[in-house]
Amino acid sequence: MIDAPVPVPAESTLLVRVGACGVCGSDLHIVDWELGAERMVARLPVILGHEPAGEVVEVGARVTNFKVGDRVALDPFGHCGRCGPCRAGRFHLCSSPTTLSGAFAEFTVAPVGNAHLVPATMNIEQAALLEPFGTGLHAVEQS
């Protein structure tokens, strides 16, 4: 277990109280220290987890599209919103994608490009499964 302070959101990020977080295969590879784990972890100790959902508890100074109390699902990879592909609405081709980590904790900080609003009718565990579900759905559609 790692004791870590509550992170402080930067001007374009959200502080999210994590309600649920999926366990990704890459998390397991890091725990077992196999298949290139040393390339996935910049330094140790590290808080893993990048498939969470939760509630926004603080917003950065430049955040306008989220507010405290919003429920969000967080994508491991987001978009910068400034490059040519982003301005054209092609976020999947972002030249400077944002990343997320550290969600196996009570709180995590997420760039706004990684956050998606979740309806009140969806439970938080389902919301945490949206990204892995989307990955599987995309694979089926491509096949």
Side-chain angles (χ1 to χ4, degrees):
M1 179 154 181
I2 298 171
D3 280 331
V6 174
V8 176
E11 60 183 21
S12 295
T13 64
L14 308 171
L15 178 62
V16 176
R17 181 185 311 273
V18 177
C21 187
V23 178
C24 181
S26 60
D27 296 321
L28 299 176
H29 292 310
I30 293 168
V31 168
D32 292 338
W33 207 250
E34 63 184 14
L35 298 176
E38 71 281 355
R39 291 188 317 270
M40 293 184 256
V41 177
R43 59 183 156 66
L44 296 173
V46 65
I47 300 173
L48 299 176
H50 56 261
E51 297 177 351
E55 181 180 337
V56 175
V57 294
E58 189 176 342
V59 297
R62 296 185 65 192
V63 175
T64 59
N65 50 342
F66 294 93
K67 65 184 181 318
V68 171
D70 281 346
R71 293 164 29 96
V72 292
L74 302 176
D75 194 332
F77 300 100
H79 58 277
C80 73
R82 296 179 305 276
C83 68
C86 281
R87 288 193 311 270
R90 300 182 58 135
F91 304 116
H92 63 292
L93 298 175
C94 177
S95 62
S96 300
T98 56
T99 58
L100 177 74
S101 63
F104 288 151
E106 184 177 1
F107 297 96
T108 193
V109 170
V112 294
N114 296 62
H116 306 277
L117 288 172
V118 174
T121 56
M122 179 179 286
N123 74 45
I124 211 70
E125 291 84 7
Q126 290 171 326
L129 293 172
L130 288 174
E131 190 278 334
F133 174 78
T135 299
L137 179 62
H138 178 71
V140 170
E141 287 176 340
Q142 293 302 303
S143 67

